[in-house]
Each structure stands twice: as C-alpha cells, then as structure tokens.
Amino acid sequence: MKSIRILAFVLLSTTSLFAQSPEEKGLKIAQEAAKYDEGFESSEVKLTMTLTNKHGQESTRYLETKTLELIEDGDQSLIVFNSPNDVKGTATLTYTHKEGSDDQWLYLPAIKRVKRISSDNKSGPFMGSEFAYEDLSSQEVEKYTYKYIKDDQVNGEDAYVVERDPVDPKSGYTRQLIWYNKANYRLEKAEFYDRKNVLLKTLTYLNYREYLGKHWRAGEFLMVNHQTGKKTSLKFENYQFKIGLTASNFSQNSLIRAGR
C-alpha cells in the first residue's frame, strides 16, 4: 500500500509539472529569483565604467551607487559620478515601481539643477553608455509578463531561458531573453530586442561572488550593442550590505547633496 501511495504521488507531481504552461513556469522562475535575493536591506558599491567605441577606443569613469530595498514597492537607487571632471557630481536617482512608470531624476552640477527624466526618454542612453535609463531600475516581477523557453547552458552553468516582455508600452524593448541560473536563480545573461524586435544588446554577468551566505552579485556587467559595435563594462568592488540607509538618503535633496 505504501508503494502505491508513493507511485501515486510521483505521478501526480509529474502530471502537475507537465500541466504547467510556459507562461506559468516563466513567472514562477522570476518569482523564485526575486525571493532568493530578498533581505539585503540596503547596499553600497563602487564602480568603474569603461566605454568602448566601435574602433576600440576606451574612456573610463568612476562612480558609486547606493540601493534601498523596498518590499511593498520597487527598490530605490542613487548613482553618483566621482570622476573624471567632465562628469564629476552628476547624479541619478531612481524610484522603481512595481506598477506604472518609474520615477527618475538627474542632477547636473554644471547648471546646479535637478531634471526629471521623462518616461518617454527612458530608452535613451545613460550618460553615453550602452545602458539605457530603464536598465537602472530594479528587477521587479510585476514589470513584465513571462514565458519559459527552454533549458540551456551559459557561462558553464545550467540555466532556464525565460522570455519577459515589458508591461510598460514606453519601454525601448519589445522583449528580453533572460538566462536564470538553475541553482540559485541569479541572472547569467540577458538579450534585449528593440521596438522592431531585432536583437539590440546582450548583457553578460561575470565573476559572481556570494555575500552574506545568500546574495549573489556579479563582479562585472558587460553590455554589448550589436547594432553600433559599442560596449560598456561596469566593474564592481567593495560591496557593503545592511548599512542602515533609509528613505531620507534617497530624496531629491540627497540627490543634490551627493552631486556637490
């Protein structure tokens, strides 16, 4: 009798797995990825941004970013450029929302003004890089619809490939293909398709490291633009977590102070 019950359980589990639609499976993978990274509270990290044009010429910028984790809504982040002098003091504040358009502001030290970034311009390049302003937002599940595509391998890791389509009609992308690591749901690679559904960019996540026994962070983001031949590398160092940041550290006044 016990063996019959075990067999029945196995058959039921197998049936449920196969009954799951690609959309349901894709959403489940995205939800697991979000759940896996919960609990970092706040973080700070220093970055080196390297811009490479189609001729291979490089320019380097140094910046830092702070992030505040919010459970009831999307995360908030503050990015400040420290050098070179032509971008020093430029700062960007992003309020990601689970529903609706994100709020973003840009502080320009040359004119000492805060400029609101219109949702119509979110697909524009961030400070001349291959990252768009919308790429600065946190990865909130509600911002996309999902569809599981296949199992694959990337960066030597087993991965799920999931298509996610932005809900926001003003997004610069029609769809994205995301490679989620099967073991810990970290992102390994992303492909971005433009409004004509042509491959625009590929983002590869490199040199991962685990923090606090749970939170995986890539040591480098490499974004390659297939249509222009340009690329941007972001290298991260000195990650700190649970550093006591609050909403007061992510106001427009704090944006101005950070840029001075």
Side-chain angles (χ1 to χ4, degrees):
M1 181 66 70
K2 182 178 180 182
S3 62
I4 293 175
R5 288 198 300 269
I6 293 173
L7 177 61
F9 175 77
V10 170
L11 289 174
L12 180 61
S13 300
T14 304
T15 302
S16 299
L17 179 63
F18 282 104
Q20 193 176 45
S21 71
E23 289 77 12
E24 290 170 335
K25 185 172 182 178
L27 175 60
K28 180 65 175 177
I29 291 168
Q31 289 171 335
E32 288 298 322
K35 187 189 304 181
Y36 206 95
D37 195 44
E38 286 181 355
F40 69 87
E41 297 179 5
S42 60
S43 67
E44 183 175 19
V45 64
K46 296 185 182 300
L47 299 91
T48 300
M49 174 188 282
T50 303
L51 310 177
T52 306
N53 66 20
K54 62 181 180 180
H55 303 295
Q57 297 169 319
E58 296 183 350
S59 59
T60 302
R61 298 167 175 178
Y62 299 93
L63 52 152
E64 59 187 49
T65 182
K66 298 178 181 179
T67 303
L68 178 67
E69 180 185 30
L70 296 176
I71 302 302
E72 67 278 5
D73 201 2
D75 296 347
Q76 298 178 0
S77 64
L78 177 63
I79 299 173
V80 182
F81 284 81
N82 296 322
S83 67
N85 287 334
D86 60 336
V87 295
K88 184 178 180 179
T90 303
T92 305
L93 178 64
T94 300
Y95 287 3
T96 305
H97 299 301
K98 293 185 177 182
E99 297 181 1
S101 297
D102 300 334
D103 292 312
Q104 290 182 301
W105 297 269
L106 177 68
Y107 176 72
L108 299 170
I111 58 175
K112 297 181 180 179
R113 281 186 54 194
V114 172
K115 174 184 176 182
R116 186 181 182 90
I117 300 169
S118 168
S119 57
D120 292 325
N121 296 326
K122 65 189 303 180
S123 61
F126 169 62
M127 297 294 291
S129 74
E130 299 314 303
F131 290 86
Y133 279 95
E134 66 180 297
D135 298 333
L136 307 182
S137 300
S138 57
Q139 310 269 330
E140 303 301 325
V141 174
E142 294 84 354
K143 299 182 79 64
Y144 307 92
T145 59
Y146 299 87
K147 182 179 180 181
Y148 165 78
I149 302 299
K150 62 179 180 179
D151 287 3
D152 197 7
Q153 272 208 337
V154 63
N155 300 336
E157 302 282 347
D158 291 331
Y160 301 109
V161 183
V162 175
E163 178 181 297
R164 67 182 190 188
D165 300 349
V167 174
D168 190 343
K170 294 183 179 179
S171 171
Y173 310 120
T174 54
R175 63 190 178 101
Q176 303 169 13
L177 289 181
I178 309 296
W179 277 254
Y180 293 92
N181 189 298
K182 283 188 176 183
N184 48 40
Y185 294 95
R186 71 191 190 196
L187 277 62
E188 298 287 348
K189 187 174 81 167
E191 291 182 350
F192 301 83
Y193 291 78
D194 65 17
R195 298 304 301 175
K196 295 180 180 179
N197 201 24
V198 176
L199 178 60
L200 174 62
K201 302 182 296 189
T202 297
L203 175 59
T204 305
Y205 301 80
L206 302 167
N207 305 322
Y208 265 105
R209 179 180 170 187
E210 187 180 22
Y211 296 86
L212 305 181
K214 177 180 181 180
H215 305 293
W216 288 91
R217 293 292 184 272
E220 181 180 3
F221 289 0
L222 180 60
M223 183 75 88
V224 177
N225 190 315
H226 301 285
Q227 298 183 12
T228 65
K230 298 178 181 179
K231 62 183 179 181
T232 299
S233 166
L234 286 174
K235 291 186 178 180
F236 301 79
E237 59 181 347
N238 298 330
Y239 256 116
Q240 299 180 63
F241 294 90
K242 299 180 184 291
I243 55 176
L245 299 177
T246 66
S248 63
N249 298 110
F250 297 87
S251 66
Q252 288 193 46
N253 285 335
S254 64
L255 174 67
I256 296 171
R257 289 195 299 271
R260 287 176 176 169

